[in-house]
């Protein structure tokens, strides 16, 4: 185990994250829509998100047990900051989307690890969210303009916007309630 995260803690994190992300979209839709439309091309957001992803990756490389691949630890630790600087220098298009995709991929593992070998059927809500993060991460890293298209689709009508944010808030509230009562 890398993270030592309990299912209850993972459920609380997922529930709070979904509720806190979706409430501003329900309460102040025009402000959040404007921010969401600027996010994919935001250089500053890209730098912040990529820095966080690089730090998380560096911590993982420095601390995890790599088994037979432990000979690769030093070259990877050297290559990671070099790659970070090169990405900042040469990747201008949709840097925030790519970094967000990397963070989604990194965030899925602790959630899956927390639900591993648990028998509660409700653990599947955390697991399903983790797999949605994996799918979103893979798509956003490889096809970054798709987030722009997804944002444009969701902001096309207020009904669509409220339905998506309301659904995320309800899903988060259910996971949070289960984390506080069952896990």
């Amino acid at each position: 185990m890398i993270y030592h995260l309990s299912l209850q803690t993972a459920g609380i994190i997922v529930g709070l994250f979904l509720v806190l992300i979706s409430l501003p979209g329900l309460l102040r839709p025009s402000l959040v829509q404007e921010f969401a439309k600027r996010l994919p091309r935001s250089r500053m957001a890209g730098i912040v998100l990529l820095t966080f992803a690089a730090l998380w990756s560096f911590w993982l490389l420095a601390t995890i047990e790599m088994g037979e691949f432990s000979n690769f630890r030093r070259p990877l630790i050297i290559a990671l900051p070099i790659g970070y600087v090169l990405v900042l220098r040469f990747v201008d298009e949709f840097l925030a989307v790519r970094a967000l995709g990397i963070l989604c991929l990194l965030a899925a593992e602790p959630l899956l690890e927390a639900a591993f070998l648990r028998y509660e059927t409700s653990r599947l809500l955390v697991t399903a969210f983790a797999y949605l993060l994996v799918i979103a991460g893979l798509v956003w890293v490889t096809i970054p303009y798709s987030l722009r298209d997804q944002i444009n689709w969701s902001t096309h009508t207020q009904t669509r916007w409220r339905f998506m944010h309301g659904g995320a808030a309800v899903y988060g509230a259910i996971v949070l309630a289960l984390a506080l009562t069952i896990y």
Side-chain angles (χ1 to χ4, degrees), residues 134-147:
V134 169
I135 292 167
L138 289 172
V139 170
W140 294 341
V141 168
T142 57
I143 313 168
Y145 59 85
S146 65
L147 179 61

Side-chain angles (χ1 to χ4, degrees), residues 8-72:
Q8 182 180 29
T9 306
I12 291 171
I13 291 169
V14 168
L16 284 176
F17 173 77
L18 286 171
V19 168
L20 292 176
I21 283 293
S22 57
L23 279 182
L26 287 172
L27 300 175
R28 300 285 303 228
S30 60
L31 181 68
V32 176
Q33 286 176 356
E34 185 180 313
F35 171 77
K37 287 180 179 179
R38 287 192 321 262
L39 177 69
R41 293 195 184 268
S42 171
R43 178 91 173 136
M44 185 54 67
I47 291 170
V48 169
L49 292 171
L50 188 65
T51 301
F52 188 64
L55 291 173
W56 191 348
S57 300
F58 191 82
W59 172 76
L60 282 174
L61 277 173
T63 59
I64 64 172
E65 177 59 42
M66 296 179 71
E68 63 189 51
F69 298 105
S70 59
N71 292 336
F72 294 113

